[in-house]
Amino acid sequence: MEEILIAGFGGQGVMSMGQLIAYAGMKEGKYVSWLPSYGPEQRGGTANCAVVVSGEQVGSPLVSQPTTAIVLNNPSYYKFEPTVRPGGLLIVNASLISKTSERTDIKVMNLKATELANELGNPKIANMILLGAFLEITGILSDESILEALKKVLSPEKHSLLEINKRALELGRLSTKVGI
Amino acid sequence: MEEILIAGFGGQGVMSMGQLIAYAGMKEGKYVSWLPSYGPEQRGGTANCAVVVSGEQVGSPLVSQPTTAIVLNNPSYYKFEPTVRPGGLLIVNASLISKTSERTDIKVMNLKATELANELGNPKIANMILLGAFLEITGILSDESILEALKKVLSPEKHSLLEINKRALELGRLSTKVGI
Amino acid sequence: MEQRVVFNEETCKSCQLCVKACPTNVIYLADYLNEKGYRPAVVTDQESCISCGKCAQMCPDSVITVYRPEKIRKTV
Amino acid sequence: MEQRVVFNEETCKSCQLCVKACPTNVIYLADYLNEKGYRPAVVTDQESCISCGKCAQMCPDSVITVYRPEKIRKTV
Amino acid sequence: MGKVLMKGNEVIAEAAVHAGCKYFFGYPITPQSELVAYMARRLPEVGGLFLQAESEVAAINMVYGAAGTGVRVMTSSSSPGFSLKQEGISYLVGAELPALIVNVVRGGPGLGNIQPAQSDYFQVTKGGGHGDYHTPVLAPSTLQEIIELTEAAFDIADRYRTPVILLGDGMLGQMMEPVEFKNLTERQPGEKDWTTTGTRGDGKPRIITSLELNADALEKRNEKLQHKFALIKQNEVRYETYEIEDADYIVTAYGTAARIAMNAINNARADGLKIGMIRPITLWPFPEQPFIETRDKVKGYISVEMSAGQMVEDVRLAVNGKAPVTFFGRTGGVVPTQEEIYEYIMKVAGGVEV
Amino acid sequence: MGKVLMKGNEVIAEAAVHAGCKYFFGYPITPQSELVAYMARRLPEVGGLFLQAESEVAAINMVYGAAGTGVRVMTSSSSPGFSLKQEGISYLVGAELPALIVNVVRGGPGLGNIQPAQSDYFQVTKGGGHGDYHTPVLAPSTLQEIIELTEAAFDIADRYRTPVILLGDGMLGQMMEPVEFKNLTERQPGEKDWTTTGTRGDGKPRIITSLELNADALEKRNEKLQHKFALIKQNEVRYETYEIEDADYIVTAYGTAARIAMNAINNARADGLKIGMIRPITLWPFPEQPFIETRDKVKGYISVEMSAGQMVEDVRLAVNGKAPVTFFGRTGGVVPTQEEIYEYIMKVAGGVEV
Amino acid sequence: MKTVFEKTTGLTDTQTHYCPGCTHGIIHRMVGEVLEEMGILEDTVGVASVGCSVLSYEYFNCDMTQAAHGRAPAVATGIKRVLPDRFVFTYQGDGDLASIGIAEAVHAAARGENITVIFVNNAIYGMTGGQMAPTTLIGQKTATSPFGRNASLQGLPIRVSEMLSTLDGTAYIERVSTHDVPNILKAKKAIRKAFETQKQGFGFSMVEVLSSCPTNWGLDPHESLDWIKDNMVPAYPLGIYKNVHKEAEK
Amino acid sequence: MKTVFEKTTGLTDTQTHYCPGCTHGIIHRMVGEVLEEMGILEDTVGVASVGCSVLSYEYFNCDMTQAAHGRAPAVATGIKRVLPDRFVFTYQGDGDLASIGIAEAVHAAARGENITVIFVNNAIYGMTGGQMAPTTLIGQKTATSPFGRNASLQGLPIRVSEMLSTLDGTAYIERVSTHDVPNILKAKKAIRKAFETQKQGFGFSMVEVLSSCPTNWGLDPHESLDWIKDNMVPAYPLGIYKNVHKEAEK
Ligand SMILES: Cc1ncc(C[n+]2csc(CCOP(=O)(O)OP(=O)(O)O)c2C)c(N)n1
Ligand SMILES: Cc1ncc(C[n+]2csc(CCOP(=O)(O)OP(=O)(O)O)c2C)c(N)n1
Ligand code: SF4
Ligand code: SF4
Ligand code: SF4
Ligand code: SF4
């Protein structure tokens, strides 16, 4: 069972990252759930969502000790870095987060995703790069499922963006190997 | 324990008759209660009140089988004549009610109270004449207590009416003897 | 003479609004009570009624029906 | 030169209403983030500020304090 | 002052004035309108304020505002109007504001009618509004007791910073009975260090609120509330027992139903049956103790209510299966007669269990 | 149609549309606003009508009006807004009008917060409004079950001429989970011979009302209502049991708490403890039967709720003293973790009774 | 004999429970007549409110729904939105409409709900025994303004027609009176106009009818009519406040 | 250096949770400044409503009470009637005041409650994520008017200042805007005037402030100001609608 927590500012695409994972999980016949943080507090501060991908019926969609946390800004880093389950994974958008985790019981991946996204010509797809990294490391879902999910999630008029998203995913996967 | 029901049109003074009895009972150290019918239905039809005068704490102020019923109009007559407890008393304002009770298990007193009141010069005190009759027959309260109660109930500026009320009470008592 | 103004006496509540509304003052309260205990409004002097209908317009209880005699044309 | 316009940078939310309100266009967003993750508004060219206070009137977060240099009277 | 004959609704009002309540916000509804009218005349005499609100919703929120200033304040209504106050009551509890809320119950559901009923028991005892809360509920059964409980209600409200409900019914509200206002010293609410009256002289700004966006913090607050409820349960339970020592069967009833049932019990006793009574005076907290003390000895309990059966659940909870609990009730504004209660008692106590 | 990923709030809305509901009147409130927004987009597509009411009070009364014409109609809200609907719900019951009312519960009391809670259990099951009434309450615990129960809710509403409550919480409303709308034939309410739609063709004028000034007549009506409630109790109870046959301890929970508790139970089973579960699906009528059938065999029951302890009273009533009943709860919007539920189970089942 | 006046089929035969001389009865009759004359009795659903007129559902000879206190416009909205081709009207007192129900009235008006509101302003709460209404006049004594309504304590009367007329959704608003026959005839025309407005789908129509409450005013029925004329009419000027028909003509 | 502008002591140091560029912050500042300048911070009790400004109780530097959604004027009434010598104000959004709370607003106004209402009209529900308000403009898309507000379906916007001004109990009502500095200066004057009205005991005062909601309008903060100017101001004309001071001068 993967219990994933994705957190950042509103507008960084954390909610849709989570939905893509859930969608793709569903397509692959897994049990999934997605739960957003909600309410006014997300306005000023951080937004986050919890995704569970499991072989069994999902009990609680709440994720208090994620197997993977993907954090996209400083406040999220401080809030969730300590909660990652020992043996779990922490993916950090190092473009926006200066701190580096000193935990040794988890795997930490620092990725300058915003810079990479800029290179691809669209700073908004930093989230897809992080997602690519996540997929590469955990291997829980195929790119096809994610892209199929993307087609569902993007409105038809935005399908032109599919290509760049695909490239972002690939770049994310790649970056885990070359260690950018 | 006396359980008295007084019924008639609104405006015939049935409510205040009941209050006078309750007040006087209280003055004489008895346990008393007074309960009005209330609500919009009294507008078109009949108003009534239930009075209990007792040597013991009053349980229910409701009177379903009165020991005495005093009825001042036709609808009240029809409604309450059958409910009087066997051995009880029914006092009828015969000026306004044409029917005569055929019950033999109760004492019936038909009194042309409105005519008598007119003779005293005030048709509005028919109720006091009926009250006088009630007091005379049952003997449960003294005139003094009733008059004292009347002083309480009438606003000071209406104390001039005390005298005629007193005469009405006396006339009511008298009428039970001469059989008017 | 036929009735020009007819009262459904049982539904009258003695409010006298018709009495005041009548321009010919032909309505008055009877000296008996209806079942509800009200003295119903009545008209005995039917001839004096001019069938204006004002009493009926004013009556809150739709007690009153008003008729007007047909104009009788005689051809001589 | 003293500061004419001072920003409490930590409370700035990058809304840029001050930027647009400034008649002399001296306000811009810094290229760093404050703790909340916003690029705070700043003024470096303090001399060009005319102490009009418009930015402060416009700022929804009371970030800005504005000073005006005292008129210096020299008695020769 | 001696005995006076007053209507129940007026007794509530006068008792509140005696208890130091100078502010009333309310909306007319039968069968409690005399209370509102009494306050309209009476409060100006004591330098207080009566205001007819535009609705029950507005009234309870005016009470909320006034309560926040620290004064003793009340509102009153009857069933449909009381339903409209549910959000406001939940707010009062959440913001911990003391106030007296009177419900003179009538027949329901919906518009129902205006006759006496006890069918709002669940609403007042279980929390008719949202959230985890309870409010103390006091249920007088005579007009004299109204006086005592109205005063108690204000004291409890202030002591625990909580709204308190006084529960009557149309009969209690409309009837007259002699009452005596004993020589009361006018009660005053104690010092309150949480009021919003302007900071003048009392330091930092204060806030009255029931909002707490953070779940953990709200849970803390709720724990504080639950602690308060536990304290009230411990300290404020009231009830009356009658001849329960040797009773085979115990009738339980409150308010109007209790006074009528009492006559029936006396008749049954006169006929040789050993019947006792437990009369809850606080409906919440419900008096469990007298049930716990008797439940292993008696043959059964009979809950008599002017409802389709509500308090009987609390009786069952208190008896906890240790003895049979049966129910007799009338609804829709019908007040049971002592005769029918007597009959029911005879049926149950005579061996025919229902 | 296959599986789709949807938010719980949207699932409720879409399921209602599938159930033939074309009319929605409501007022936004977190955490159910997506439901309102979904209806605003969706209902015009099916030729229905969405109207944002000026308040929850207006919304429930618009529902009352629309329900009287015979169509399937609904409203939805969350705790404080739900409290405001109490008078209206009581009217719907009194006038016997079918409708669906959704409460996506949040932390209380008062304004509280917008996080998931189950603290409106009393309000929805005991009758938060005045008068002797109950409404069926359905509590789904997965998004797929929302579909099933939303349809059932409309059917029950029509069958018994009663408002029905669908009870969720912020988590169920906000989360996404795959759901499948099975090939449903669009349901239609049956013939209704009591609607007010103009007499055109259907004879004498009809009246929809909850008023009955005469107490005896109102009691008759109430008896009819009580009879209806008895029928619903007989026919509509729903619950799910899990491994209760050999259970030493039975956890009971509904909705969100149940799905989380299920994980804890599985873990406890894996650790060798014999734990089962009873999950009430209808909260009213409360499923007494599975408790009656197990209460003489088990060592105890554990009620797990996102409240300070409400359903536990109904559990106690059903168990009737035959076995210990303990309670574990979190409040104020805190959702319990399966770990802490597991711990609590271990504590109780491990011999330490609470 | 020709029939000049007979009871309308718009009303049932049930005798009303209104007090003697209460003009609720006159207003009922006019509404019943308009429904009859327009031939729409079969197509009408009326909404009775809570007040003395709560039992009007037994008097109007058409389908009727009883609404919670103040909520008649919301209930009417629910009906009308489902059945846009039926005529829907509410019959509300001033306590019901102007006090507890002002939100529902304002919003039905603002939405331009195509319904007709018969608003009976008798400056008091009749049903509950004579308490102050938002329309109670300054100085008027009621059960809850025992010293007379005092502007500084209880504020000034709400002139509902004037207020609602500021809302763009309103199509026809007129204030009429029942204190004599000419005014009654005018009142009936206004009621007809309001239903015509609904027929044409123009939106919210309301007729505010000044009415008496002899019982709670403590006056006899005839004095009550004078009291309307002498006290209410000056405070509540009669006339048309909103007229979409006029505007449509322009 | 002379201080031309610094943060008012009328506000606490707590940073607001408002979105970047939301003009709630400007309105807070103005109210805080007026309270400070009039020297009445210690004598004031504010009433926070339910909406984005619910946490304003943490921002205003005076005693504050949080009211249920729409009921702030009733809560304020409760406070003011007990403490007539304190200043009591409510701070309410358009959903709060004009939708669920219109009854309380109308009645506080009609009673002439001597309170000040700061009415923030941003043509939308901010807090709950952008639903239609009674003040939403025709054609405006919101979460609950996804096809644009349609007059025949959802009715026309309520112009609250105009409507309340018909009530005799109101003493001062002005509509102002926050879309540029000159208007902000005017807005502050209006707020001052409103509190002065209360000080003089003249009765109900209200300032309707046109405000932005960049988040839910989907515009950036500056575009939002333009949207106020270009779309809201024409629909909600600025100006004084009721002025007891003027009348007093006469
Ligand atoms: C929620 C609620 N509050 C109060 C009442 C009590 N009540 C019944 S009628 C009424 C006032 C009626 O006055 P009005 O609307 O002016 O009509 P009238 O009786 O004068 O014709 C009130 C307050 C109620 N039934 N329901
Ligand atoms: C009784 C109740 N109903 C609904 C809500 C949900 N709610 C909170 S704020 C709000 C609307 C706020 O809009 P507005 O008043 O315009 O203020 P803004 O957020 O735009 O400043 C609503 C509907 C609630 N808290 N309570
Ligand atoms: S107006 Fe009608 S009710 Fe009144 S007295 Fe005349 S006939 Fe009778
Ligand atoms: S107006 Fe204020 S918050 Fe906005 S950018 Fe300027 S300083 Fe920052
Ligand atoms: S109380 Fe007044 S309004 Fe009601 S019926 Fe009697 S006279 Fe008419
Ligand atoms: S949602 Fe709108 S009103 Fe609320 S804080 Fe953000 S911009 Fe301001």
Side-chain angles (χ1 to χ4, degrees), chain D residues 7 11-19 29 41 55 58-61 63-64:
Chain D
F7 292 79
T11 63
C12 172
K13 293 177 184 159
S14 300
C15 73
Q16 304 194 56
L17 291 187
C18 56
V19 175
L29 294 192
C55 56
M58 210 66 222
C59 174
D61 288 275
V63 169
I64 311 169

PDB file of all heavy atoms in Angstrom, chain D residues 7 11-19 29 41 55 58-61 63-64, ligand 4:
ATOM      1  N   PHE D   7       9.008  48.797   4.045  1.00  0.00           N
ATOM      2  CA  PHE D   7       8.104  47.645   3.909  1.00  0.00           C
ATOM      3  C   PHE D   7       8.391  46.624   5.008  1.00  0.00           C
ATOM      4  O   PHE D   7       9.536  46.248   5.227  1.00  0.00           O
ATOM      5  CB  PHE D   7       8.307  46.971   2.550  1.00  0.00           C
ATOM      6  CG  PHE D   7       7.854  47.836   1.402  1.00  0.00           C
ATOM      7  CD1 PHE D   7       8.650  48.879   0.935  1.00  0.00           C
ATOM      8  CD2 PHE D   7       6.635  47.612   0.802  1.00  0.00           C
ATOM      9  CE1 PHE D   7       8.237  49.685  -0.120  1.00  0.00           C
ATOM     10  CE2 PHE D   7       6.212  48.408  -0.249  1.00  0.00           C
ATOM     11  CZ  PHE D   7       7.014  49.453  -0.717  1.00  0.00           C
ATOM     12  N   THR D  11       5.268  40.502   5.961  1.00  0.00           N
ATOM     13  CA  THR D  11       3.808  40.474   5.889  1.00  0.00           C
ATOM     14  C   THR D  11       3.288  40.783   4.488  1.00  0.00           C
ATOM     15  O   THR D  11       2.084  40.820   4.266  1.00  0.00           O
ATOM     16  CB  THR D  11       3.195  41.472   6.891  1.00  0.00           C
ATOM     17  OG1 THR D  11       3.606  42.789   6.517  1.00  0.00           O
ATOM     18  CG2 THR D  11       3.651  41.185   8.306  1.00  0.00           C
ATOM     19  N   CYS D  12       4.199  41.010   3.561  1.00  0.00           N
ATOM     20  CA  CYS D  12       3.777  41.331   2.196  1.00  0.00           C
ATOM     21  C   CYS D  12       3.306  40.074   1.480  1.00  0.00           C
ATOM     22  O   CYS D  12       3.847  38.995   1.675  1.00  0.00           O
ATOM     23  CB  CYS D  12       4.934  41.970   1.436  1.00  0.00           C
ATOM     24  SG  CYS D  12       4.569  42.187  -0.323  1.00  0.00           S
ATOM     25  N   LYS D  13       2.273  40.242   0.647  1.00  0.00           N
ATOM     26  CA  LYS D  13       1.721  39.099  -0.097  1.00  0.00           C
ATOM     27  C   LYS D  13       1.877  39.232  -1.602  1.00  0.00           C
ATOM     28  O   LYS D  13       1.150  38.580  -2.370  1.00  0.00           O
ATOM     29  CB  LYS D  13       0.241  38.913   0.254  1.00  0.00           C
ATOM     30  CG  LYS D  13      -0.013  38.470   1.693  1.00  0.00           C
ATOM     31  CD  LYS D  13      -1.521  38.390   1.968  1.00  0.00           C
ATOM     32  CE  LYS D  13      -1.819  38.040   3.420  1.00  0.00           C
ATOM     33  NZ  LYS D  13      -3.193  38.459   3.792  1.00  0.00           N
ATOM     34  N   SER D  14       2.740  40.114  -2.037  1.00  0.00           N
ATOM     35  CA  SER D  14       3.035  40.232  -3.475  1.00  0.00           C
ATOM     36  C   SER D  14       1.846  40.648  -4.325  1.00  0.00           C
ATOM     37  O   SER D  14       1.828  40.340  -5.517  1.00  0.00           O
ATOM     38  CB  SER D  14       3.525  38.906  -4.089  1.00  0.00           C
ATOM     39  OG  SER D  14       4.676  38.467  -3.477  1.00  0.00           O
ATOM     40  N   CYS D  15       0.863  41.313  -3.750  1.00  0.00           N
ATOM     41  CA  CYS D  15      -0.323  41.576  -4.556  1.00  0.00           C
ATOM     42  C   CYS D  15      -0.075  42.668  -5.601  1.00  0.00           C
ATOM     43  O   CYS D  15      -0.816  42.799  -6.559  1.00  0.00           O
ATOM     44  CB  CYS D  15      -1.499  41.946  -3.671  1.00  0.00           C
ATOM     45  SG  CYS D  15      -1.387  43.591  -2.957  1.00  0.00           S
ATOM     46  N   GLN D  16       0.935  43.477  -5.352  1.00  0.00           N
ATOM     47  CA  GLN D  16       1.336  44.525  -6.291  1.00  0.00           C
ATOM     48  C   GLN D  16       0.362  45.696  -6.391  1.00  0.00           C
ATOM     49  O   GLN D  16       0.482  46.519  -7.301  1.00  0.00           O
ATOM     50  CB  GLN D  16       1.582  43.956  -7.694  1.00  0.00           C
ATOM     51  CG  GLN D  16       2.611  42.840  -7.686  1.00  0.00           C
ATOM     52  CD  GLN D  16       3.093  42.523  -9.084  1.00  0.00           C
ATOM     53  OE1 GLN D  16       3.577  43.415  -9.807  1.00  0.00           O
ATOM     54  NE2 GLN D  16       2.989  41.268  -9.487  1.00  0.00           N
ATOM     55  N   LEU D  17      -0.576  45.759  -5.483  1.00  0.00           N
ATOM     56  CA  LEU D  17      -1.462  46.923  -5.539  1.00  0.00           C
ATOM     57  C   LEU D  17      -0.668  48.202  -5.290  1.00  0.00           C
ATOM     58  O   LEU D  17      -0.920  49.241  -5.904  1.00  0.00           O
ATOM     59  CB  LEU D  17      -2.608  46.796  -4.529  1.00  0.00           C
ATOM     60  CG  LEU D  17      -3.638  45.717  -4.835  1.00  0.00           C
ATOM     61  CD1 LEU D  17      -4.818  45.806  -3.854  1.00  0.00           C
ATOM     62  CD2 LEU D  17      -4.163  45.825  -6.269  1.00  0.00           C
ATOM     63  N   CYS D  18       0.356  48.116  -4.439  1.00  0.00           N
ATOM     64  CA  CYS D  18       1.200  49.282  -4.190  1.00  0.00           C
ATOM     65  C   CYS D  18       1.980  49.639  -5.448  1.00  0.00           C
ATOM     66  O   CYS D  18       2.137  50.816  -5.787  1.00  0.00           O
ATOM     67  CB  CYS D  18       2.154  49.021  -3.026  1.00  0.00           C
ATOM     68  SG  CYS D  18       3.191  47.551  -3.249  1.00  0.00           S
ATOM     69  N   VAL D  19       2.437  48.605  -6.123  1.00  0.00           N
ATOM     70  CA  VAL D  19       3.221  48.827  -7.333  1.00  0.00           C
ATOM     71  C   VAL D  19       2.423  49.666  -8.322  1.00  0.00           C
ATOM     72  O   VAL D  19       2.904  50.659  -8.863  1.00  0.00           O
ATOM     73  CB  VAL D  19       3.606  47.467  -7.970  1.00  0.00           C
ATOM     74  CG1 VAL D  19       4.327  47.676  -9.293  1.00  0.00           C
ATOM     75  CG2 VAL D  19       4.455  46.641  -7.005  1.00  0.00           C
ATOM     76  N   LEU D  29       8.753  44.071  -7.130  1.00  0.00           N
ATOM     77  CA  LEU D  29       8.838  42.874  -6.299  1.00  0.00           C
ATOM     78  C   LEU D  29      10.276  42.371  -6.243  1.00  0.00           C
ATOM     79  O   LEU D  29      10.954  42.305  -7.274  1.00  0.00           O
ATOM     80  CB  LEU D  29       7.937  41.769  -6.850  1.00  0.00           C
ATOM     81  CG  LEU D  29       6.425  42.017  -6.804  1.00  0.00           C
ATOM     82  CD1 LEU D  29       5.669  40.721  -7.118  1.00  0.00           C
ATOM     83  CD2 LEU D  29       5.969  42.552  -5.439  1.00  0.00           C
ATOM     84  N   ALA D  41       7.294  43.277  -1.858  1.00  0.00           N
ATOM     85  CA  ALA D  41       7.489  44.549  -2.555  1.00  0.00           C
ATOM     86  C   ALA D  41       8.622  45.304  -1.868  1.00  0.00           C
ATOM     87  O   ALA D  41       8.773  45.250  -0.645  1.00  0.00           O
ATOM     88  CB  ALA D  41       6.200  45.368  -2.502  1.00  0.00           C
ATOM     89  N   CYS D  55       0.805  54.196  -1.922  1.00  0.00           N
ATOM     90  CA  CYS D  55       1.033  52.752  -1.796  1.00  0.00           C
ATOM     91  C   CYS D  55       0.455  52.245  -0.489  1.00  0.00           C
ATOM     92  O   CYS D  55      -0.189  51.201  -0.435  1.00  0.00           O
ATOM     93  CB  CYS D  55       2.533  52.447  -1.874  1.00  0.00           C
ATOM     94  SG  CYS D  55       3.500  53.350  -0.656  1.00  0.00           S
ATOM     95  N   MET D  58      -3.204  51.921  -0.355  1.00  0.00           N
ATOM     96  CA  MET D  58      -3.691  50.841  -1.187  1.00  0.00           C
ATOM     97  C   MET D  58      -3.352  49.468  -0.614  1.00  0.00           C
ATOM     98  O   MET D  58      -3.981  48.482  -0.969  1.00  0.00           O
ATOM     99  CB  MET D  58      -3.025  50.991  -2.569  1.00  0.00           C
ATOM    100  CG  MET D  58      -3.843  50.492  -3.717  1.00  0.00           C
ATOM    101  SD  MET D  58      -5.347  51.460  -3.955  1.00  0.00           S
ATOM    102  CE  MET D  58      -6.514  50.155  -4.297  1.00  0.00           C
ATOM    103  N   CYS D  59      -2.358  49.393   0.231  1.00  0.00           N
ATOM    104  CA  CYS D  59      -1.887  48.084   0.686  1.00  0.00           C
ATOM    105  C   CYS D  59      -2.899  47.425   1.628  1.00  0.00           C
ATOM    106  O   CYS D  59      -3.221  47.959   2.680  1.00  0.00           O
ATOM    107  CB  CYS D  59      -0.550  48.216   1.407  1.00  0.00           C
ATOM    108  SG  CYS D  59      -0.028  46.640   2.117  1.00  0.00           S
ATOM    109  N   PRO D  60      -3.392  46.251   1.261  1.00  0.00           N
ATOM    110  CA  PRO D  60      -4.395  45.585   2.097  1.00  0.00           C
ATOM    111  C   PRO D  60      -3.798  44.999   3.368  1.00  0.00           C
ATOM    112  O   PRO D  60      -4.537  44.571   4.250  1.00  0.00           O
ATOM    113  CB  PRO D  60      -4.920  44.448   1.214  1.00  0.00           C
ATOM    114  CG  PRO D  60      -4.394  44.707  -0.151  1.00  0.00           C
ATOM    115  CD  PRO D  60      -3.133  45.486   0.020  1.00  0.00           C
ATOM    116  N   ASP D  61      -2.451  44.956   3.443  1.00  0.00           N
ATOM    117  CA  ASP D  61      -1.873  44.272   4.573  1.00  0.00           C
ATOM    118  C   ASP D  61      -1.057  45.162   5.491  1.00  0.00           C
ATOM    119  O   ASP D  61      -0.246  44.672   6.268  1.00  0.00           O
ATOM    120  CB  ASP D  61      -1.078  43.065   4.063  1.00  0.00           C
ATOM    121  CG  ASP D  61      -2.028  41.987   3.563  1.00  0.00           C
ATOM    122  OD1 ASP D  61      -2.491  41.192   4.395  1.00  0.00           O
ATOM    123  OD2 ASP D  61      -2.371  41.983   2.360  1.00  0.00           O
ATOM    124  N   VAL D  63       1.473  46.872   5.198  1.00  0.00           N
ATOM    125  CA  VAL D  63       2.886  46.511   5.142  1.00  0.00           C
ATOM    126  C   VAL D  63       3.777  47.752   5.199  1.00  0.00           C
ATOM    127  O   VAL D  63       4.915  47.697   5.637  1.00  0.00           O
ATOM    128  CB  VAL D  63       3.144  45.735   3.822  1.00  0.00           C
ATOM    129  CG1 VAL D  63       4.630  45.562   3.555  1.00  0.00           C
ATOM    130  CG2 VAL D  63       2.418  44.400   3.831  1.00  0.00           C
ATOM    131  N   ILE D  64       3.234  48.862   4.748  1.00  0.00           N
ATOM    132  CA  ILE D  64       4.073  50.009   4.394  1.00  0.00           C
ATOM    133  C   ILE D  64       3.978  51.148   5.406  1.00  0.00           C
ATOM    134  O   ILE D  64       2.887  51.523   5.843  1.00  0.00           O
ATOM    135  CB  ILE D  64       3.671  50.527   2.999  1.00  0.00           C
ATOM    136  CG1 ILE D  64       3.604  49.347   1.996  1.00  0.00           C
ATOM    137  CG2 ILE D  64       4.641  51.611   2.518  1.00  0.00           C
ATOM    138  CD1 ILE D  64       2.966  49.702   0.667  1.00  0.00           C
TER     139      ILE D  64
HETATM  140  S1  SF4 I   4       0.236  46.323  -1.546  1.00  0.00           S
HETATM  141 FE1  SF4 I   4       1.119  45.558   0.357  1.00  0.00          FE
HETATM  142  S2  SF4 I   4       0.869  43.325   0.290  1.00  0.00           S
HETATM  143 FE2  SF4 I   4       0.537  44.120  -1.779  1.00  0.00          FE
HETATM  144  S3  SF4 I   4       2.584  43.973  -2.735  1.00  0.00           S
HETATM  145 FE3  SF4 I   4       2.435  46.030  -1.896  1.00  0.00          FE
HETATM  146  S4  SF4 I   4       3.311  45.880   0.138  1.00  0.00           S
HETATM  147 FE4  SF4 I   4       2.891  43.800  -0.526  1.00  0.00          FE
END
